[in-house]
Amino acid sequence: MKTFIKFSLVVAALGLSTGIQAQNRDLDNYRQPDKRGINVFESPKDTVSTFDGIKVRVGGASTLQYQAIDHENATGAPALVPITNNFNLATANLDLDVALAKGLRMHLRTYLSSRHHPEPYVKGGYFQIDNLDFIKEGLASDLMKNVTIMFGHMEINYGDAHFRRSDNAQALYNPFVGNYLMDSFTTEVGAEVYYRKGGFLAMLGATNTKLNQDVKDDVVNGNPSPSIVAKLGYDKQINSDLRVRFTGSLYNTAWATRTYLYAGDRAGARYYFVMAPPLTNGAATTGANAFTTGRYNPNFNNKLTAIMFNPFVKYKGLEFFGMLELTNGKNLAETDRRSATQLGAELLYRFGKSENFYFGGRYNSVSAEDVSGVDVDITRFNIGGGWFMTKNILAKVEYVTQKYDGFTTGNILDGGKFNGFVAEAVISF
């Protein structure tokens, strides 16, 4: 009954919004949540404002997967939960984007249904400032032609991979089903300042290093220090056929009671229940093991430095996206820092009318000094494709295979591997 009421309220809200804003739902400085948002990274910087009064855009996304994956581990390793071929829990997002004034926009995303939480909860939100006319007409207008300011409890802009990841139900930007092995994503309270000119991009930001906000004083371990976020890059449409982008990003935490860069996705991982132990004590829900299945967290819980490099090249329909991530850190009980290295490469070919079809592959690997004291390696290959049935509807299918090496005897990941097919349908508007 609660689910029905929740769904009815969302439908009513969307219907009201459609009636009010049916003529034009586009906003300034805004990444479209449909096919037009593919290969858009930071929100575009518009130079001409279309603001003519407060405008509320209600949108959302809904996603469903059919999973047919088998998993196994070494003889003598802990048992794995039995899994079969079936549908996963459908996920849903609700987005509110509001043009509040000329050059001032608000974004708020709510997870209506996610793997970890069947009940709705807010992911986060932010204000985005692209000019200061709402304070005084023409204030710092020359500077603000190139500057964007964002602040809130928001998804931080570390690396470029988070622009291509699935964010709960918003899976339209991701050409595959799963996110990367070390899924660098977190929402923290902070601010970011951007300067963009002639294809060059510079960003500097700071956060309070906390996912869950409170004012408690940690008198035992000390309160977290601010985290620094930075990005430098170049993004240019060289000609009608060729686009080139390259960025380098930094995330540094000098001290935290707990870091969340690789454990910040509260929605849960794709590839449900792979490499997970049997469910006990009534825990047979999609939320069990939600954060770990198919992923790897290096557990740099108290000190963390991460650097990511991302090349992106698109020539006509051929598209390449790469990742080199170098991280190191430690826990409170550790004397020395450990390190982890992540590699990723995607090669896609988009074709058909308006590039409505695509196929390609992804390679992803992690080599790490594990918290258990051994060196481990994880490798994943994805092969798949997709069809944009409309600009708001994407159907995709992939074959995934993943292997774990170096984990100690007695670890559930010892000799672990899984492979199989996953189909996913995405609606985003």
Side-chain angles (χ1 to χ4, degrees):
M1 185 64 180
K2 290 182 179 179
T3 302
F4 176 76
I5 294 174
K6 177 169 58 179
F7 180 77
S8 300
L9 290 174
V10 172
V11 170
L14 295 179
L16 177 61
S17 173
T18 302
I20 294 174
Q21 302 291 350
Q23 299 303 314
N24 181 11
R25 301 179 72 231
D26 294 346
L27 302 175
D28 295 340
N29 310 306
Y30 177 68
R31 184 186 187 185
Q32 299 290 346
D34 52 42
K35 184 174 176 289
R36 293 172 293 173
I38 297 295
N39 293 329
V40 176
F41 294 86
E42 291 80 15
S43 297
K45 178 70 174 179
D46 300 326
T47 57
V48 178
S49 174
T50 63
F51 181 79
D52 59 357
I54 291 179
K55 183 177 182 180
V56 179
R57 187 190 193 282
V58 180
S62 180
T63 299
L64 179 65
Q65 307 91 33
Y66 181 85
Q67 179 173 302
I69 289 178
D70 296 317
H71 63 177
E72 62 182 83
N73 56 8
T75 301
L80 298 172
V81 62
I83 56 177
T84 187
N85 304 340
N86 215 322
F87 289 94
N88 290 323
L89 173 72
T91 56
N93 292 359
L94 174 65
D95 292 339
L96 294 177
D97 292 278
V98 184
L100 296 167
K102 183 180 178 182
L104 179 62
R105 179 170 65 84
M106 183 206 79
H107 168 78
L108 179 70
R109 173 163 291 172
T110 298
Y111 294 155
L112 294 177
S113 174
S114 67
R115 178 180 176 187
H116 188 246
H117 287 283
E119 75 280 0
Y121 65 101
V122 174
K123 168 209 171 180
Y126 58 83
F127 286 102
Q128 180 173 314
I129 301 173
D130 282 282
N131 67 55
L132 301 175
D133 286 6
F134 66 95
I135 299 175
K136 181 181 178 181
E137 188 73 25
L139 178 63
S141 57
D142 290 339
L143 177 65
M144 293 305 295
K145 288 178 181 178
N146 305 108
V147 171
T148 297
I149 302 169
M150 297 176 63
F151 62 93
H153 189 175
M154 61 186 186
E155 177 180 332
I156 64 169
N157 188 6
Y158 163 72
D160 283 352
H162 74 106
F163 291 114
R164 298 171 71 89
R165 71 185 297 278
S166 297
D167 185 19
N168 196 42
Q170 177 46 283
L172 187 136
Y173 304 141
N174 188 349
F176 301 96
V177 175
N179 295 325
Y180 281 90
L181 289 167
M182 286 171 50
D183 188 18
S184 49
F185 164 90
T186 183
T187 54
E188 299 173 3
V189 173
E192 298 171 346
V193 180
Y194 296 78
Y195 185 85
R196 288 178 279 189
K197 186 175 183 179
F200 288 96
L201 161 72
M203 183 275 289
L204 182 63
T207 79
N208 72 341
T209 318
K210 299 179 69 171
L211 178 76
N212 299 311
Q213 304 303 317
D214 60 57
V215 296
K216 291 181 292 187
D217 188 3
D218 190 342
V219 296
V220 177
N221 298 313
N223 295 308
S225 62
S227 291
I228 303 300
V229 188
K231 177 178 284 190
L232 288 173
Y234 181 77
D235 189 343
K236 190 73 171 181
Q237 189 73 44
I238 306 300
N239 54 48
S240 59
D241 294 329
L242 178 63
R243 177 185 173 190
V244 176
R245 176 183 170 99
F246 183 82
T247 63
S249 301
L250 167 72
Y251 180 91
N252 183 73
T253 298
W255 165 255
T257 50
R258 180 183 175 187
T259 62
Y260 287 93
L261 185 61
Y262 303 108
D265 181 15
R266 292 162 290 163
R270 296 292 197 252
Y271 310 133
Y272 286 40
F273 295 111
V274 296
M275 307 310 300
L279 303 173
T280 59
N281 300 324
T285 69
T286 54
N289 309 293
F291 307 122
T292 58
T293 55
R295 291 179 178 170
Y296 179 74
N297 180 359
N299 290 300
F300 303 140
N301 289 338
N302 302 114
K303 294 187 177 184
L304 169 64
T305 300
I307 299 172
M308 184 184 293
F309 300 99
N310 297 111
F312 172 78
V313 179
K314 190 174 190 303
Y315 179 72
K316 295 185 177 180
L318 191 64
E319 176 180 311
F320 172 80
F321 177 79
M323 175 202 292
L324 169 61
E325 187 172 26
L326 308 170
T327 68
N328 67 79
K330 63 187 288 292
N331 296 333
L332 182 63
E334 294 178 307
T335 303
D336 300 320
R337 286 184 172 236
R338 295 176 288 110
S339 64
T341 300
Q342 178 166 220
L343 299 175
E346 298 178 15
L347 186 63
L348 302 174
Y349 183 68
R350 301 184 186 271
F351 61 99
K353 183 180 179 180
S354 302
E355 297 185 349
N356 287 339
F357 300 89
Y358 70 85
F359 67 87
R362 174 197 283 171
Y363 168 79
N364 186 198
S365 70
V366 169
S367 298
E369 298 174 290
D370 191 60
V371 67
S372 64
V374 298
D375 294 337
V376 300
D377 295 283
I378 309 172
T379 55
R380 179 193 292 170
F381 292 93
N382 303 80
I383 300 174
W387 171 31
F388 281 93
M389 302 170 67
T390 73
K391 70 177 182 180
N392 301 101
I393 304 173
L394 170 63
K396 51 185 170 179
V397 62
E398 70 168 30
Y399 173 78
V400 58
T401 178
Q402 185 163 315
K403 185 178 180 182
Y404 299 81
D405 291 304
F407 289 87
T408 57
T409 302
N411 190 308
I412 197 170
L413 300 179
D414 177 26
K417 59 182 178 181
F418 66 84
N419 62 81
F421 290 89
V422 185
E424 185 172 61
V426 185
I427 301 172
S428 178
F429 53 93

